[in-house]
Amino acid sequence: MNLLPSASPLADEVDWLIGSLLGVSLLVLALVMGLMGVYVIRYRHGSGLDRGDVAQKTWRIEVVWTTATLVAFFGLFIWGGNLFVRVYRPHPNPLTISVIGKQWMWKTEYPGGQHEINQLHIPVDRDVQLLLTSEDVIHDFGLPAFRVKRDVLPGRYEALWLHPNRIGDYHLFCDQFCGTDHSSMIGTVTVMTAPEYQDWLERNSTSSGLVADGQALFIRNGCSGCHQAGLSGGAGTVRAPSLNGLYRSPVPLSDGSTVIADDRYIHDSIIYPKEQIVASYAPVMPSFKGVIGEEDLVKIIAYIKSLGPHAPLPGRS
Ligand code: HEC
Ligand SMILES: [Cu+2]
């Protein structure tokens, strides 16, 4: 069954699905073409029978034939639809890794601040969420061994879920023609055991980490000037919502709807602040599109996510 290396249970299932579809299709093809061939040869001389008055006919064959193919193909359709939903379904407590496409390389950033180019290291038997975005044009992150790919769009977050179950090195591609050196946007995904992974993280750890870098950027870009804890509405400051405990909590918007503050919401709040306005606040936040790069955004978002409900924000001392 495995002509291509497979690194996850879902990839195995995709193979079975495609295999079954191919099998059923070949069966139908063989039956139709086979019967046709047999009759063409067997009755090639024709016969002198009088067919003028055929009184009886039976529906049985047609009913059986139609029902069998309907059930087979509709079954495959339902299986495929169900598999598609499971491939993209979010899982609780994933390991989240940011992947940023850029002409012409893939940059990966880990929660501990580790980062690499054209490499992705993930532990086996764990839910991994890849948050994909692009610094410039549309790319597409493709992992054949996981049978998944997803378009990577500038200024937007897309998620891809992996659950590796086999250790090894696998290919990683850009699957969307994105310019002259598109063909060099290739790399390796390495699936490691949990202890090996821990070891790898420690060997590649940077001094600060995403959260600390994010905090510095939060201050440097002037976010802290408006988003200061306890100071909303204070004299001389712009009234801005506190970001403490924001991550994963519901946010009421000015149009009356409510959204859950996930990675994508926080990202879009910074890049497209005018699109979703927090209820009872004025749309005064400037857009940071083109001002803060995607790599720095990953750090700022990590910092905002780290703020618990009672965390003090920087910039007050
Ligand atoms: C001029 C003041 C100002 C600056 C500077 C500013 N913001 Fe805001 N921000 C606001 C206001 C006002 C809102 C609420 C209205 C809205 O949704 O646009 C807001 C909303 C947000 C939200 C959504 C909060 C929620 O409760 O849903 C996030 C996240 C955010 N800002 C992050 C940032 C980051 C990160 C920076 C720095 C890169 C920044 N802001 C800079 C004023 C500011
Ligand atoms: Cu590309």
Side-chain angles (χ1 to χ4, degrees):
M1 199 72 209
N2 275 316
L3 300 173
L4 271 171
S6 152
S8 77
L10 286 175
D12 293 339
E13 202 179 325
V14 169
D15 288 354
W16 279 108
L17 177 65
I18 304 282
S20 311
L21 183 58
L22 193 68
V24 173
S25 304
L26 284 177
L27 207 72
V28 171
L29 185 78
L31 214 61
V32 171
M33 297 311 277
L35 281 177
M36 198 171 84
V38 166
Y39 290 143
V40 161
I41 291 166
R42 188 150 167 208
Y43 300 109
R44 64 188 179 283
H45 292 308
S47 80
L49 274 180
D50 173 20
R51 293 196 185 82
D53 182 29
V54 183
Q56 1 106 285
K57 62 181 192 178
T58 165
W59 291 99
R60 213 171 292 153
I61 292 179
E62 270 164 51
V63 169
V64 169
W65 171 246
T66 311
T67 320
T69 39
L70 185 78
V71 167
F73 283 102
F74 206 63
L76 286 171
F77 169 74
I78 291 172
W79 181 8
N82 175 279
L83 181 56
F84 181 85
V85 169
R86 280 183 288 135
V87 165
Y88 291 104
R89 187 172 52 200
H91 295 266
N93 303 318
L95 170 65
T96 302
I97 300 170
S98 294
V99 177
I100 300 163
K102 190 180 172 180
Q103 284 169 325
W104 287 276
M105 64 180 91
W106 292 109
K107 298 185 181 178
T108 46
E109 295 199 21
Y110 299 79
Q114 299 85 348
H115 47 87
E116 345 178 61
I117 288 178
N118 293 340
Q119 298 274 351
L120 176 65
H121 286 80
I122 47 179
V124 74
D125 289 329
R126 232 189 104 203
D127 287 317
V128 178
Q129 180 194 31
L130 302 178
L131 280 182
L132 313 161
T133 190
S134 162
E135 199 81 76
D136 37 49
V137 300
I138 299 178
H139 301 277
D140 188 295
F141 197 64
L143 301 170
F146 293 86
R147 312 288 188 267
V148 291
K149 59 163 93 176
R150 189 136 206 194
D151 269 8
V152 177
L153 309 171
R156 280 196 49 154
Y157 271 11
E158 298 290 340
L160 205 53
W161 294 86
L162 308 176
H163 191 106
N165 68 342
R166 286 188 197 99
I167 290 160
D169 289 341
Y170 306 97
H171 287 300
L172 171 171
F173 293 112
C174 180
D175 281 345
Q176 172 73 51
F177 182 68
C178 59
T180 325
D181 279 338
H182 161 66
S183 61
S184 67
M185 270 184 89
I186 53 177
T188 314
V189 187
T190 307
V191 179
M192 315 164 99
T193 62
E196 267 174 6
Y197 191 68
Q198 210 47 49
D199 211 49
W200 178 86
L201 284 179
E202 272 154 33
R203 265 184 290 122
N204 290 277
S205 79
T206 52
S207 51
S208 40
L210 279 192
V211 171
D213 287 352
Q215 174 166 13
L217 287 163
F218 192 82
I219 298 169
R220 200 178 329 136
N221 285 288
C223 317
S224 50
C226 291
H227 292 282
Q228 271 186 61
L231 273 189
S232 43
T237 42
V238 179
R239 217 171 70 86
S242 157
L243 304 180
N244 293 346
L246 173 65
Y247 187 53
R248 293 217 176 105
S249 68
V251 178
L253 299 178
S254 58
D255 64 3
S257 63
T258 301
V259 291
I260 298 292
D262 55 7
D263 285 87
R264 185 186 294 182
Y265 169 79
I266 298 177
H267 173 269
D268 290 357
S269 294
I270 304 168
I271 298 298
Y272 312 108
K274 302 276 179 292
E275 257 170 38
Q276 291 178 308
I277 307 292
V278 183
S280 87
Y281 286 92
V284 291
M285 176 165 158
S287 166
F288 288 85
K289 189 175 195 302
V291 178
I292 306 180
E294 292 295 343
E295 275 175 83
D296 285 350
L297 278 174
V298 166
K299 294 171 184 155
I300 293 177
I301 293 168
Y303 167 65
I304 293 176
K305 283 162 71 173
S306 76
L307 296 171
H310 305 293
L313 277 153
R316 301 194 66 190
S317 51

Short mmCIF file of all heavy atoms in Angstrom, two decimals, residues 139 174 176 178 182 185, ligand 2:
data_model
loop_
_atom_site.label_atom_id
_atom_site.label_comp_id
_atom_site.label_asym_id
_atom_site.label_seq_id
_atom_site.Cartn_x
_atom_site.Cartn_y
_atom_site.Cartn_z
N HIS A 139 2.19 31.36 -0.99
CA HIS A 139 2.95 30.11 -1.07
C HIS A 139 1.99 28.99 -0.67
O HIS A 139 0.82 29.24 -0.37
CB HIS A 139 4.14 30.12 -0.12
CG HIS A 139 5.12 31.24 -0.37
ND1 HIS A 139 6.09 31.17 -1.32
CD2 HIS A 139 5.25 32.46 0.21
CE1 HIS A 139 6.80 32.29 -1.31
NE2 HIS A 139 6.30 33.10 -0.39
N CYS A 174 7.21 23.83 -1.24
CA CYS A 174 6.26 24.88 -1.57
C CYS A 174 5.49 24.36 -2.77
O CYS A 174 6.08 24.00 -3.78
CB CYS A 174 6.96 26.20 -1.92
SG CYS A 174 5.78 27.49 -2.33
N GLN A 176 3.10 25.98 -4.47
CA GLN A 176 2.44 27.04 -5.25
C GLN A 176 3.52 27.84 -5.92
O GLN A 176 4.40 28.38 -5.23
CB GLN A 176 1.62 27.91 -4.29
CG GLN A 176 1.03 29.15 -4.91
CD GLN A 176 -0.13 28.81 -5.82
OE1 GLN A 176 -1.05 28.09 -5.43
NE2 GLN A 176 -0.08 29.30 -7.04
N CYS A 178 5.76 30.51 -6.94
CA CYS A 178 5.82 31.79 -6.25
C CYS A 178 6.98 32.65 -6.71
O CYS A 178 7.42 33.55 -6.01
CB CYS A 178 5.91 31.55 -4.74
SG CYS A 178 7.33 30.58 -4.25
N HIS A 182 11.19 29.44 -6.80
CA HIS A 182 10.17 28.60 -6.18
C HIS A 182 10.70 27.19 -5.91
O HIS A 182 10.46 26.61 -4.86
CB HIS A 182 8.95 28.55 -7.09
CG HIS A 182 8.02 27.43 -6.84
ND1 HIS A 182 7.30 27.32 -5.66
CD2 HIS A 182 7.69 26.34 -7.58
CE1 HIS A 182 6.56 26.22 -5.72
NE2 HIS A 182 6.79 25.61 -6.86
N MET A 185 12.35 26.29 -2.62
CA MET A 185 11.61 26.36 -1.34
C MET A 185 11.28 24.95 -0.85
O MET A 185 10.11 24.59 -0.71
CB MET A 185 10.33 27.16 -1.50
CG MET A 185 10.52 28.64 -1.22
SD MET A 185 8.99 29.55 -1.30
CE MET A 185 8.38 29.44 0.37
CU CU B 2 6.74 29.53 -2.32
#
